[in-house]
Amino acid sequence: MQKEFIEIKQLYRNKEQYIDKTVRVAGWIRTSRMSKNFGFIELNDGSFFKNMQIVIDEKLENFKEVGKLPISTSLLIEGTLVATQNAKQPVEIQATKIVVEGESDNSYPLQKKRHTVEYLRTIAHLRPRSNLFSAAFRVRSVAAYAIHKFFQDRNFVYAHSPIITGSDCEGAGEMFRITTLDLNNIPKTEEGKIDYSQDFFGKEANLTVSGQLNAEIMALAFRNVYTFGPTFRAENSYTGRHASEFWMIEPEIAFADLEDNMELAEDMIKYIINYVLENCPEEMEFFNSFVDKGLLERLHKIVNSEFTRITYTKAIELLLESGQKFEYPVEWGCDLQTEHERYITEQIFNAPVFVTDYPKEIKAFYMRMNEDGKTVRAMDLLVPGVGEIIGGSQREERYDVLMDRIKECGLNEEDYWWYLELRKYGTATHSGFGLGFERIIMYLTGISNIRDVIPFPRTPKNAEF
Ligand code: 4AD
Protein backbone atom coordinates (compact mmCIF):
# COMPACT_ATOMS: atom_id res chain seq x y z
CA MET A 1 0.00 0.00 0.00
CA GLN A 2 2.67 2.50 1.03
CA LYS A 3 4.29 2.36 -2.42
CA GLU A 4 1.16 3.92 -3.97
CA PHE A 5 1.89 7.17 -2.14
CA ILE A 6 4.82 9.33 -3.06
CA GLU A 7 6.72 11.16 -0.30
CA ILE A 8 6.14 14.90 -0.18
CA LYS A 9 9.91 15.29 0.09
CA GLN A 10 10.29 13.68 -3.34
CA LEU A 11 7.67 15.99 -4.80
CA TYR A 12 9.68 19.00 -3.63
CA ARG A 13 13.12 17.66 -4.45
CA ASN A 14 12.26 16.21 -7.90
CA LYS A 15 9.36 18.46 -8.81
CA GLU A 16 10.22 18.69 -12.54
CA GLN A 17 9.59 14.97 -12.84
CA TYR A 18 6.05 15.24 -11.42
CA ILE A 19 4.66 18.61 -12.48
CA ASP A 20 1.30 18.24 -14.33
CA LYS A 21 1.20 14.55 -13.47
CA THR A 22 -1.24 12.70 -11.24
CA VAL A 23 0.28 11.98 -7.82
CA ARG A 24 -1.01 10.33 -4.64
CA VAL A 25 0.04 11.38 -1.15
CA ALA A 26 -0.97 10.33 2.35
CA GLY A 27 -0.61 12.50 5.44
CA TRP A 28 -2.17 14.54 8.22
CA ILE A 29 -3.87 17.93 8.08
CA ARG A 30 -1.68 20.56 9.75
CA THR A 31 -3.99 23.50 9.00
CA SER A 32 -6.84 24.28 6.65
CA ARG A 33 -8.43 27.47 5.32
CA MET A 34 -11.82 27.30 3.70
CA SER A 35 -13.99 29.69 1.74
CA LYS A 36 -17.31 28.98 0.09
CA ASN A 37 -16.13 27.47 -3.19
CA PHE A 38 -12.54 26.44 -2.53
CA GLY A 39 -10.02 25.83 0.23
CA PHE A 40 -6.43 25.01 1.14
CA ILE A 41 -5.13 22.18 3.29
CA GLU A 42 -1.56 22.12 4.58
CA LEU A 43 -0.67 18.44 4.57
CA ASN A 44 2.32 16.90 6.32
CA ASP A 45 3.31 13.32 5.60
CA GLY A 46 6.30 13.09 7.92
CA SER A 47 8.77 12.61 5.05
CA PHE A 48 9.66 16.28 4.96
CA PHE A 49 9.70 19.24 7.30
CA LYS A 50 7.62 21.34 4.89
CA ASN A 51 3.92 20.80 4.25
CA MET A 52 2.32 20.33 0.85
CA GLN A 53 -0.50 22.71 0.00
CA ILE A 54 -3.58 20.82 -1.21
CA VAL A 55 -6.09 22.89 -3.14
CA ILE A 56 -9.69 21.70 -3.04
CA ASP A 57 -12.76 23.06 -4.76
CA GLU A 58 -16.39 22.21 -5.44
CA LYS A 59 -15.46 19.70 -8.15
CA LEU A 60 -14.34 17.39 -5.35
CA GLU A 61 -17.10 14.89 -4.57
CA ASN A 62 -16.81 15.27 -0.77
CA PHE A 63 -15.75 18.97 -0.81
CA LYS A 64 -18.13 20.01 2.01
CA GLU A 65 -17.10 17.13 4.29
CA VAL A 66 -13.36 17.63 3.69
CA GLY A 67 -13.65 21.35 4.33
CA LYS A 68 -14.90 20.70 7.88
CA LEU A 69 -12.31 18.12 8.93
CA PRO A 70 -10.40 18.84 12.14
CA ILE A 71 -6.61 19.34 12.24
CA SER A 72 -4.66 16.06 12.41
CA THR A 73 -7.17 14.05 10.37
CA SER A 74 -5.31 11.61 8.13
CA LEU A 75 -6.08 11.73 4.41
CA LEU A 76 -5.30 9.80 1.24
CA ILE A 77 -5.15 12.25 -1.65
CA GLU A 78 -5.03 11.97 -5.42
CA GLY A 79 -4.46 15.04 -7.55
CA THR A 80 -2.27 16.91 -10.01
CA LEU A 81 1.00 18.48 -8.97
CA VAL A 82 1.09 22.03 -10.30
CA ALA A 83 3.79 24.70 -10.28
CA THR A 84 3.08 27.95 -8.41
CA GLN A 85 4.66 31.40 -8.52
CA ASN A 86 5.52 31.15 -4.83
CA ALA A 87 9.24 30.53 -4.23
CA LYS A 88 8.58 29.25 -0.71
CA GLN A 89 6.02 26.76 -1.93
CA PRO A 90 6.93 26.11 -5.56
CA VAL A 91 4.36 23.31 -6.02
CA GLU A 92 0.90 22.39 -4.78
CA ILE A 93 -1.56 19.58 -5.42
CA GLN A 94 -4.93 20.20 -6.98
CA ALA A 95 -6.95 17.41 -5.42
CA THR A 96 -9.27 15.26 -7.51
CA LYS A 97 -10.04 12.62 -4.89
CA ILE A 98 -9.71 12.61 -1.08
CA VAL A 99 -10.32 9.61 1.16
CA VAL A 100 -10.61 10.28 4.90
CA GLU A 101 -8.48 7.61 6.57
CA GLY A 102 -8.89 8.61 10.22
CA GLU A 103 -10.91 11.63 11.30
CA SER A 104 -9.35 13.45 14.24
CA ASP A 105 -11.28 14.59 17.26
CA ASN A 106 -11.84 18.32 17.71
CA SER A 107 -10.10 18.12 21.07
CA TYR A 108 -6.70 17.61 19.33
CA PRO A 109 -4.38 19.71 21.50
CA LEU A 110 -1.92 20.95 18.86
CA GLN A 111 -4.05 23.70 17.39
CA LYS A 112 -2.54 26.47 15.28
CA LYS A 113 -0.99 28.53 18.05
CA ARG A 114 2.28 28.57 19.93
CA HIS A 115 2.53 26.13 22.81
CA THR A 116 5.18 26.25 25.51
CA VAL A 117 7.81 23.48 25.46
CA GLU A 118 6.82 22.72 29.06
CA TYR A 119 3.27 21.96 27.96
CA LEU A 120 4.45 19.95 24.95
CA ARG A 121 6.53 17.74 27.27
CA THR A 122 3.31 16.60 28.90
CA ILE A 123 2.07 15.30 25.53
CA ALA A 124 5.18 13.44 24.36
CA HIS A 125 2.94 11.12 22.33
CA LEU A 126 1.83 14.04 20.13
CA ARG A 127 4.71 16.51 20.20
CA PRO A 128 6.70 14.85 17.34
CA ARG A 129 3.94 16.30 15.11
CA SER A 130 4.82 19.90 16.04
CA ASN A 131 7.33 21.86 13.96
CA LEU A 132 9.90 22.18 16.72
CA PHE A 133 10.01 18.51 17.60
CA SER A 134 9.66 17.31 14.05
CA ALA A 135 12.79 19.32 13.21
CA ALA A 136 14.66 18.30 16.38
CA PHE A 137 14.08 14.57 16.00
CA ARG A 138 14.96 14.56 12.32
CA VAL A 139 18.21 16.39 13.06
CA ARG A 140 18.83 13.83 15.78
CA SER A 141 18.39 10.99 13.29
CA VAL A 142 20.59 12.60 10.64
CA ALA A 143 23.31 13.46 13.18
CA ALA A 144 23.36 9.83 14.35
CA TYR A 145 23.92 8.69 10.78
CA ALA A 146 26.64 11.34 10.32
CA ILE A 147 28.47 10.00 13.35
CA HIS A 148 28.44 6.43 12.06
CA LYS A 149 29.53 7.65 8.65
CA PHE A 150 32.38 9.70 10.10
CA PHE A 151 33.83 6.71 11.92
CA GLN A 152 33.05 4.05 9.32
CA ASP A 153 34.68 6.15 6.58
CA ARG A 154 37.81 6.19 8.74
CA ASN A 155 37.77 2.41 9.19
CA PHE A 156 36.79 2.47 12.88
CA VAL A 157 35.08 -0.68 14.19
CA TYR A 158 31.66 -0.12 15.75
CA ALA A 159 31.99 -1.94 19.08
CA HIS A 160 28.84 -2.86 21.00
CA SER A 161 29.42 -2.37 24.69
CA PRO A 162 27.03 -4.01 27.15
CA ILE A 163 24.16 -2.15 28.77
CA ILE A 164 24.28 -4.37 31.86
CA THR A 165 27.67 -4.23 33.57
CA GLY A 166 29.32 -5.27 36.80
CA SER A 167 31.76 -2.34 36.90
CA ASP A 168 31.45 1.39 37.52
CA CYS A 169 33.55 3.02 34.79
CA GLU A 170 33.53 6.51 36.27
CA GLY A 171 33.84 5.35 39.88
CA ALA A 172 31.24 7.96 40.83
CA GLY A 173 28.63 5.55 42.21
CA GLU A 174 25.84 7.03 40.09
CA MET A 175 24.53 3.73 38.78
CA PHE A 176 21.06 2.31 38.43
CA ARG A 177 21.17 -1.10 40.07
CA ILE A 178 19.32 -3.95 38.43
CA THR A 179 18.19 -6.96 40.38
CA THR A 180 15.80 -9.89 40.31
CA LEU A 181 15.91 -10.25 44.10
CA ASP A 182 12.55 -10.16 45.88
CA LEU A 183 12.54 -6.61 47.25
CA ASN A 184 10.18 -7.64 50.05
CA ASN A 185 12.52 -10.36 51.18
CA ILE A 186 16.09 -9.36 50.37
CA PRO A 187 18.65 -12.10 51.21
CA LYS A 188 21.39 -10.90 53.57
CA THR A 189 24.91 -12.18 54.28
CA GLU A 190 26.06 -12.97 57.82
CA GLU A 191 27.44 -9.41 58.05
CA GLY A 192 23.97 -8.07 57.25
CA LYS A 193 24.83 -6.91 53.70
CA ILE A 194 22.71 -7.70 50.64
CA ASP A 195 23.66 -11.18 49.40
CA TYR A 196 24.17 -10.60 45.69
CA SER A 197 25.43 -14.15 45.19
CA GLN A 198 21.74 -15.07 45.12
CA ASP A 199 20.97 -12.43 42.49
CA PHE A 200 20.55 -13.16 38.76
CA PHE A 201 24.19 -12.55 37.78
CA GLY A 202 25.62 -13.80 41.08
CA LYS A 203 27.04 -10.32 41.75
CA GLU A 204 25.96 -6.70 41.74
CA ALA A 205 24.84 -5.56 38.30
CA ASN A 206 24.07 -2.08 36.97
CA LEU A 207 23.07 -0.19 33.89
CA THR A 208 26.24 1.12 32.26
CA VAL A 209 27.42 4.69 32.86
CA SER A 210 29.92 4.46 29.99
CA GLY A 211 31.14 1.89 27.47
CA GLN A 212 34.71 3.12 27.74
CA LEU A 213 36.33 0.19 29.54
CA ASN A 214 34.89 -2.21 26.97
CA ALA A 215 35.94 0.14 24.17
CA GLU A 216 39.51 0.02 25.53
CA ILE A 217 39.46 -3.79 25.30
CA MET A 218 38.34 -3.54 21.68
CA ALA A 219 40.81 -0.76 20.77
CA LEU A 220 43.68 -2.89 22.02
CA ALA A 221 42.63 -5.48 19.44
CA PHE A 222 41.29 -3.36 16.56
CA ARG A 223 43.29 -0.11 17.03
CA ASN A 224 40.39 2.28 16.26
CA VAL A 225 36.89 1.65 17.57
CA TYR A 226 33.80 3.54 18.68
CA THR A 227 30.69 2.79 20.67
CA PHE A 228 27.36 4.55 20.22
CA GLY A 229 24.65 3.56 22.63
CA PRO A 230 22.53 4.45 25.62
CA THR A 231 24.12 5.17 28.99
CA PHE A 232 22.47 5.72 32.33
CA ARG A 233 23.27 7.92 35.30
CA ALA A 234 21.37 8.13 38.55
CA GLU A 235 22.59 11.67 39.31
CA ASN A 236 19.85 13.65 40.93
CA SER A 237 20.42 16.74 38.78
CA TYR A 238 17.40 18.77 37.82
CA THR A 239 19.28 20.76 35.18
CA GLY A 240 18.52 21.40 31.54
CA ARG A 241 21.70 19.53 30.53
CA HIS A 242 21.41 16.25 32.43
CA ALA A 243 19.29 13.24 31.59
CA SER A 244 19.18 9.92 33.43
CA GLU A 245 19.29 8.09 30.10
CA PHE A 246 21.39 9.61 27.34
CA TRP A 247 23.35 8.37 24.36
CA MET A 248 27.09 8.55 24.22
CA ILE A 249 29.59 8.19 21.39
CA GLU A 250 32.88 6.85 22.68
CA PRO A 251 35.77 6.44 20.26
CA GLU A 252 38.93 4.76 21.54
CA ILE A 253 42.18 4.90 19.58
CA ALA A 254 45.40 2.92 20.11
CA PHE A 255 48.95 4.22 19.60
CA ALA A 256 47.42 7.65 20.10
CA ASP A 257 48.00 10.39 22.68
CA LEU A 258 45.89 13.31 23.90
CA GLU A 259 46.83 15.47 20.89
CA ASP A 260 45.53 12.78 18.51
CA ASN A 261 42.42 12.53 20.67
CA MET A 262 41.66 16.27 20.44
CA GLU A 263 42.30 16.27 16.70
CA LEU A 264 39.80 13.43 16.27
CA ALA A 265 37.21 15.21 18.44
CA GLU A 266 37.57 18.46 16.51
CA ASP A 267 37.29 16.71 13.13
CA MET A 268 34.25 14.78 14.31
CA ILE A 269 32.38 17.84 15.62
CA LYS A 270 33.03 19.77 12.41
CA TYR A 271 31.97 16.80 10.31
CA ILE A 272 28.66 16.41 12.20
CA ILE A 273 27.88 20.14 11.88
CA ASN A 274 28.67 20.16 8.16
CA TYR A 275 26.67 17.02 7.51
CA VAL A 276 23.58 18.33 9.30
CA LEU A 277 23.82 21.76 7.63
CA GLU A 278 23.98 20.06 4.26
CA ASN A 279 21.29 17.45 4.84
CA CYS A 280 18.74 19.30 6.97
CA PRO A 281 18.63 22.81 5.43
CA GLU A 282 14.91 23.36 6.09
CA GLU A 283 15.11 22.24 9.71
CA MET A 284 18.24 24.33 10.37
CA GLU A 285 16.61 27.38 8.81
CA PHE A 286 13.65 26.86 11.15
CA PHE A 287 15.90 26.70 14.24
CA ASN A 288 17.70 29.82 13.08
CA SER A 289 14.43 31.72 12.67
CA PHE A 290 12.48 30.49 15.69
CA VAL A 291 14.90 29.17 18.33
CA ASP A 292 18.26 30.91 18.07
CA LYS A 293 18.74 33.80 15.66
CA GLY A 294 22.53 33.56 15.45
CA LEU A 295 22.66 29.78 15.07
CA LEU A 296 23.63 29.35 11.42
CA GLU A 297 26.24 32.09 11.53
CA ARG A 298 27.79 30.55 14.63
CA LEU A 299 27.87 27.03 13.22
CA HIS A 300 29.41 28.20 9.94
CA LYS A 301 32.05 30.09 11.88
CA ILE A 302 32.90 27.07 13.99
CA VAL A 303 33.48 24.69 11.10
CA ASN A 304 35.93 27.19 9.65
CA SER A 305 37.93 27.93 12.77
CA GLU A 306 40.45 26.08 14.91
CA PHE A 307 39.33 25.11 18.40
CA THR A 308 41.26 26.77 21.22
CA ARG A 309 43.32 24.60 23.59
CA ILE A 310 44.23 25.68 27.12
CA THR A 311 45.27 23.85 30.27
CA TYR A 312 43.08 23.70 33.36
CA THR A 313 45.72 25.78 35.20
CA LYS A 314 45.47 28.49 32.54
CA ALA A 315 41.65 28.35 32.66
CA ILE A 316 41.74 28.97 36.42
CA GLU A 317 44.14 31.90 35.90
CA LEU A 318 41.82 33.44 33.29
CA LEU A 319 38.75 33.02 35.50
CA LEU A 320 40.55 34.63 38.45
CA GLU A 321 41.86 37.49 36.30
CA SER A 322 38.37 38.15 34.88
CA GLY A 323 37.20 39.56 38.22
CA GLN A 324 33.81 37.94 37.55
CA LYS A 325 31.78 36.93 40.64
CA PHE A 326 30.73 33.26 40.47
CA GLU A 327 28.32 31.34 42.66
CA TYR A 328 31.02 28.66 43.13
CA PRO A 329 34.36 30.26 44.06
CA VAL A 330 37.30 29.60 41.73
CA GLU A 331 40.61 28.21 42.97
CA TRP A 332 43.12 25.72 41.59
CA GLY A 333 41.76 22.25 42.36
CA CYS A 334 38.07 23.10 42.10
CA ASP A 335 35.85 21.27 39.65
CA LEU A 336 34.75 23.57 36.84
CA GLN A 337 31.04 24.24 37.21
CA THR A 338 28.70 25.02 34.31
CA GLU A 339 28.93 28.76 35.10
CA HIS A 340 32.76 28.59 34.82
CA GLU A 341 32.68 26.50 31.66
CA ARG A 342 30.23 28.81 29.99
CA TYR A 343 32.18 31.91 31.03
CA ILE A 344 35.35 30.48 29.48
CA THR A 345 33.78 29.44 26.20
CA GLU A 346 31.26 32.29 25.84
CA GLN A 347 32.87 35.36 27.44
CA ILE A 348 36.61 34.75 27.19
CA PHE A 349 36.93 32.93 23.83
CA ASN A 350 33.49 32.96 22.20
CA ALA A 351 34.51 29.69 20.52
CA PRO A 352 34.86 25.98 21.38
CA VAL A 353 37.68 25.40 23.86
CA PHE A 354 39.53 22.24 24.90
CA VAL A 355 40.59 22.39 28.54
CA THR A 356 43.32 19.85 29.36
CA ASP A 357 45.41 18.51 32.25
CA TYR A 358 43.00 18.62 35.18
CA PRO A 359 43.96 17.92 38.81
CA LYS A 360 43.85 14.16 39.40
CA GLU A 361 41.52 14.56 42.41
CA ILE A 362 38.61 15.66 40.24
CA LYS A 363 39.04 13.11 37.45
CA ALA A 364 38.56 9.36 37.04
CA PHE A 365 41.15 6.71 37.95
CA TYR A 366 41.98 5.64 34.38
CA MET A 367 43.47 8.94 33.16
CA ARG A 368 47.20 9.07 32.49
CA MET A 369 49.24 10.69 35.26
CA ASN A 370 51.41 13.64 34.19
CA GLU A 371 55.07 14.07 35.22
CA ASP A 372 54.06 16.63 37.88
CA GLY A 373 52.19 13.89 39.80
CA LYS A 374 49.32 16.37 40.31
CA THR A 375 47.49 16.53 37.00
CA VAL A 376 46.20 13.97 34.52
CA ARG A 377 46.00 13.97 30.70
CA ALA A 378 42.30 14.77 30.56
CA MET A 379 40.45 16.94 28.10
CA ASP A 380 36.98 18.44 28.12
CA LEU A 381 35.52 20.27 25.14
CA LEU A 382 33.44 23.30 26.11
CA VAL A 383 31.15 25.04 23.62
CA PRO A 384 29.16 28.28 23.82
CA GLY A 385 25.54 27.85 24.84
CA VAL A 386 25.92 24.35 26.25
CA GLY A 387 29.20 24.07 28.18
CA GLU A 388 30.84 20.62 28.25
CA ILE A 389 29.93 18.33 25.38
CA ILE A 390 32.96 16.03 25.41
CA GLY A 391 34.98 14.45 28.21
CA GLY A 392 38.02 12.34 27.42
CA SER A 393 41.61 11.50 28.21
CA GLN A 394 44.78 9.66 27.39
CA ARG A 395 44.48 6.42 29.36
CA GLU A 396 46.97 5.22 31.97
CA GLU A 397 48.82 2.46 30.13
CA ARG A 398 51.41 1.72 32.88
CA TYR A 399 50.40 -1.25 35.03
CA ASP A 400 51.96 -0.05 38.29
CA VAL A 401 50.75 3.53 38.02
CA LEU A 402 47.23 2.31 37.22
CA MET A 403 47.25 -0.09 40.16
CA ASP A 404 48.33 2.75 42.48
CA ARG A 405 45.52 4.97 41.16
CA ILE A 406 42.88 2.25 41.61
CA LYS A 407 43.96 1.90 45.24
CA GLU A 408 44.25 5.65 45.76
CA CYS A 409 40.67 6.10 44.50
CA GLY A 410 39.44 3.51 46.98
CA LEU A 411 38.32 1.12 44.24
CA ASN A 412 38.42 -2.64 44.54
CA GLU A 413 41.34 -3.91 42.42
CA GLU A 414 39.70 -7.35 41.99
CA ASP A 415 36.87 -5.71 40.06
CA TYR A 416 39.37 -4.42 37.52
CA TRP A 417 41.55 -7.54 37.01
CA TRP A 418 40.79 -7.73 33.29
CA TYR A 419 41.33 -4.01 32.82
CA LEU A 420 44.74 -4.32 34.52
CA GLU A 421 45.65 -7.33 32.35
CA LEU A 422 45.33 -5.14 29.25
CA ARG A 423 48.40 -3.33 30.64
CA LYS A 424 50.20 -6.65 31.10
CA TYR A 425 49.73 -8.16 27.65
CA GLY A 426 51.17 -5.65 25.18
CA THR A 427 50.12 -2.34 26.65
CA ALA A 428 49.94 0.63 24.28
CA THR A 429 49.48 4.37 24.51
CA HIS A 430 45.77 4.92 23.91
CA SER A 431 43.15 7.60 24.24
CA GLY A 432 39.45 8.20 23.83
CA PHE A 433 36.56 10.41 24.67
CA GLY A 434 32.82 10.49 25.18
CA LEU A 435 30.55 12.84 23.28
CA GLY A 436 27.14 13.36 24.85
CA PHE A 437 24.80 12.86 21.88
CA GLU A 438 22.03 15.04 23.30
CA ARG A 439 24.51 17.81 24.08
CA ILE A 440 25.64 18.00 20.44
CA ILE A 441 21.98 18.04 19.34
CA MET A 442 21.36 20.96 21.70
CA TYR A 443 24.38 22.71 20.21
CA LEU A 444 23.20 22.06 16.64
CA THR A 445 19.62 23.20 17.18
CA GLY A 446 19.96 25.95 19.79
CA ILE A 447 17.42 24.08 21.95
CA SER A 448 18.33 24.86 25.54
CA ASN A 449 16.75 21.98 27.46
CA ILE A 450 17.92 18.38 27.05
CA ARG A 451 14.31 17.20 27.55
CA ASP A 452 13.46 18.71 24.20
CA VAL A 453 16.04 16.87 22.09
CA ILE A 454 15.04 13.39 23.35
CA PRO A 455 11.76 11.89 22.09
CA PHE A 456 11.01 10.26 25.45
CA PRO A 457 13.28 11.84 28.06
CA ARG A 458 14.16 10.08 31.29
CA THR A 459 14.90 12.51 34.11
CA PRO A 460 14.30 12.29 37.87
CA LYS A 461 10.59 11.63 38.57
CA ASN A 462 9.82 11.31 34.88
CA ALA A 463 9.36 7.96 33.16
CA GLU A 464 5.98 8.40 31.47
CA PHE A 465 5.50 7.39 27.82
O1 4AD B 1 32.74 13.26 31.02
P1 4AD B 1 31.99 11.95 31.04
O2 4AD B 1 31.43 11.49 32.34
O3 4AD B 1 33.01 10.90 30.44
C1 4AD B 1 32.86 9.56 30.40
O4 4AD B 1 31.86 8.94 30.66
C2 4AD B 1 34.07 8.87 29.79
N1 4AD B 1 34.02 7.47 30.18
C3 4AD B 1 34.05 9.07 28.30
C4 4AD B 1 35.24 8.46 27.60
O5 4AD B 1 36.33 8.91 27.78
N2 4AD B 1 35.00 7.43 26.81
O6 4AD B 1 30.81 12.01 29.98
C5 4AD B 1 31.07 12.27 28.62
C6 4AD B 1 30.02 13.19 28.05
C7 4AD B 1 29.94 14.55 28.73
O7 4AD B 1 30.89 15.44 28.19
C8 4AD B 1 28.52 14.97 28.38
O8 4AD B 1 28.47 15.49 27.06
C9 4AD B 1 27.77 13.66 28.40
O9 4AD B 1 28.72 12.63 28.23
N3 4AD B 1 27.05 13.47 29.66
C10 4AD B 1 25.72 13.63 29.80
N4 4AD B 1 24.78 14.00 28.91
C11 4AD B 1 23.51 14.08 29.35
N5 4AD B 1 23.12 13.79 30.61
C12 4AD B 1 24.03 13.42 31.53
N6 4AD B 1 23.62 13.11 32.77
C13 4AD B 1 25.40 13.33 31.15
N7 4AD B 1 26.54 13.00 31.79
C14 4AD B 1 27.53 13.07 30.87
Side-chain angles (χ1 to χ4, degrees):
M1 168 179 174
Q2 199 186 50
K3 286 202 192 92
E4 289 177 38
F5 303 101
I6 187 158
E7 290 184 344
I8 287 177
K9 180 170 186 174
Q10 298 306 326
L11 293 179
Y12 272 104
R13 291 276 194 264
N14 308 315
K15 50 184 176 303
E16 285 74 25
Q17 203 181 319
Y18 296 101
I19 281 175
D20 297 332
K21 300 231 168 80
T22 299
V23 294
R24 304 179 84 195
V25 292
W28 295 270
I29 302 177
R30 275 287 173 85
T31 61
S32 64
R33 286 172 288 139
M34 288 297 148
S35 65
K36 203 160 160 259
N37 310 322
F38 63 95
F40 301 99
I41 293 173
E42 293 291 326
L43 191 84
N44 193 283
D45 76 344
S47 70
F48 196 36
F49 183 64
K50 285 166 78 167
N51 302 322
M52 176 61 74
Q53 178 157 282
I54 312 292
V55 187
I56 57 172
D57 59 28
E58 284 174 313
K59 284 196 254 65
L60 199 68
E61 206 178 286
N62 50 356
F63 172 68
K64 286 235 162 68
E65 183 205 346
V66 171
K68 289 192 207 125
L69 290 170
I71 295 180
S72 191
T73 294
S74 51
L75 301 177
L76 310 180
I77 296 172
E78 191 173 278
T80 312
L81 189 76
V82 294
T84 70
Q85 301 303 320
N86 181 347
K88 272 196 163 172
Q89 208 158 29
V91 283
E92 62 189 18
I93 293 176
Q94 246 143 28
T96 48
K97 186 175 169 197
I98 295 188
V99 175
V100 180
E101 170 98 341
E103 183 167 341
S104 180
D105 193 88
N106 274 317
S107 60
Y108 183 65
L110 292 177
Q111 296 298 327
K112 204 186 165 206
K113 66 169 184 134
R114 279 227 174 178
H115 298 281
T116 63
V117 283
E118 289 78 14
Y119 167 66
L120 291 169
R121 276 177 218 147
T122 67
I123 49 166
H125 60 309
L126 299 173
R127 70 175 185 168
R129 306 176 187 196
S130 67
N131 283 338
L132 178 69
F133 292 95
S134 161
F137 300 151
R138 191 178 303 278
V139 163
R140 190 179 161 110
S141 163
V142 170
Y145 177 71
I147 288 164
H148 281 295
K149 187 158 164 48
F150 173 82
F151 287 115
Q152 296 284 339
D153 285 354
R154 282 159 187 74
N155 203 25
F156 279 58
V157 168
Y158 178 24
H160 295 101
S161 50
I163 285 175
I164 300 173
T165 68
S167 53
D168 177 7
C169 170
E170 296 306 301
E174 291 172 335
M175 297 165 302
F176 287 100
R177 186 149 300 162
I178 56 165
T179 180
T180 52
L181 291 177
D182 176 359
L183 295 183
N184 295 314
N185 190 15
I186 297 175
K188 295 273 172 69
T189 61
E190 276 174 13
E191 298 93 64
K193 294 193 172 145
I194 298 174
D195 185 1
Y196 284 106
S197 68
Q198 295 191 39
D199 206 348
F200 191 88
F201 294 104
K203 62 177 294 206
E204 277 185 63
N206 313 293
L207 296 180
T208 187
V209 294
S210 158
Q212 177 196 323
L213 304 189
N214 304 86
E216 284 188 56
I217 296 178
M218 297 296 272
L220 292 167
F222 288 97
R223 180 180 157 116
N224 289 342
V225 303
Y226 71 106
T227 71
F228 188 171
T231 43
F232 307 85
R233 295 203 184 169
E235 37 190 350
N236 226 346
S237 328
Y238 287 85
T239 78
R241 307 181 325 135
H242 290 88
S244 317
E245 176 179 322
F246 61 98
W247 283 58
M248 204 169 10
I249 296 96
E250 297 186 90
E252 196 68 34
I253 49 179
F255 307 107
D257 58 17
L258 196 73
E259 297 299 319
D260 300 310
N261 208 19
M262 286 190 280
E263 209 173 291
L264 178 70
E266 183 167 342
D267 287 351
M268 179 194 68
I269 296 288
K270 289 178 175 171
Y271 183 92
I272 301 170
I273 296 175
N274 270 328
Y275 194 91
V276 169
L277 286 173
E278 239 169 68
N279 289 279
C280 298
E282 290 81 10
E283 286 82 357
M284 294 307 288
E285 199 55 61
F286 170 83
F287 290 125
N288 195 56
S289 305
F290 295 102
V291 179
D292 179 349
K293 292 264 184 270
L295 182 71
L296 287 180
E297 193 188 328
R298 195 168 66 242
L299 292 177
H300 282 294
K301 195 173 132 208
I302 281 155
V303 289
N304 294 312
S305 61
E306 247 180 61
F307 293 6
T308 305
R309 298 177 185 194
I310 57 168
T311 61
Y312 166 90
T313 304
K314 182 76 189 166
I316 295 292
E317 264 172 43
L318 292 172
L319 288 171
L320 289 172
E321 276 166 19
S322 75
Q324 176 77 12
K325 285 251 170 314
F326 294 106
E327 192 188 335
Y328 292 89
V330 177
E331 57 172 339
W332 198 94
C334 74
D335 207 354
L336 293 182
Q337 304 294 326
T338 304
E339 55 170 343
H340 308 135
E341 293 176 345
R342 293 192 59 170
Y343 192 84
I344 294 168
T345 181
E346 288 165 24
Q347 305 300 324
I348 303 182
F349 293 101
N350 191 23
V353 183
F354 283 112
V355 179
T356 65
D357 302 289
Y358 284 73
K360 64 176 183 178
E361 287 78 14
I362 56 170
K363 287 292 179 188
F365 72 96
Y366 51 72
M367 299 189 179
R368 193 179 199 278
M369 185 67 70
N370 281 324
E371 295 301 303
D372 61 12
K374 289 194 301 195
T375 58
V376 287
R377 289 249 77 192
M379 63 101 163
D380 281 359
L381 177 64
L382 317 178
V383 297
V386 181
E388 180 196 326
I389 59 170
I390 282 181
S393 63
Q394 185 171 324
R395 317 307 189 189
E396 184 53 77
E397 85 286 6
R398 297 163 295 185
Y399 187 98
D400 296 341
V401 185
L402 181 62
M403 179 66 104
D404 287 349
R405 275 296 283 157
I406 287 176
K407 288 186 187 148
E408 197 180 3
C409 293
L411 300 169
N412 190 355
E413 64 181 77
E414 279 117 55
D415 291 344
Y416 296 93
W417 66 270
W418 47 271
Y419 190 68
L420 283 156
E421 278 200 357
L422 297 175
R423 278 71 184 164
K424 205 161 116 186
Y425 301 131
T427 195
T429 306
H430 65 287
S431 302
F433 63 82
L435 165 69
F437 185 49
E438 285 73 19
R439 301 257 176 105
I440 181 88
I441 303 300
M442 291 166 74
Y443 187 48
L444 281 165
T445 58
I447 292 176
S448 57
N449 196 307
I450 197 162
R451 291 165 183 79
D452 301 328
V453 296
I454 308 176
F456 309 106
R458 295 289 168 263
T459 49
K461 307 272 179 292
N462 178 21
E464 184 103 9
F465 302 102

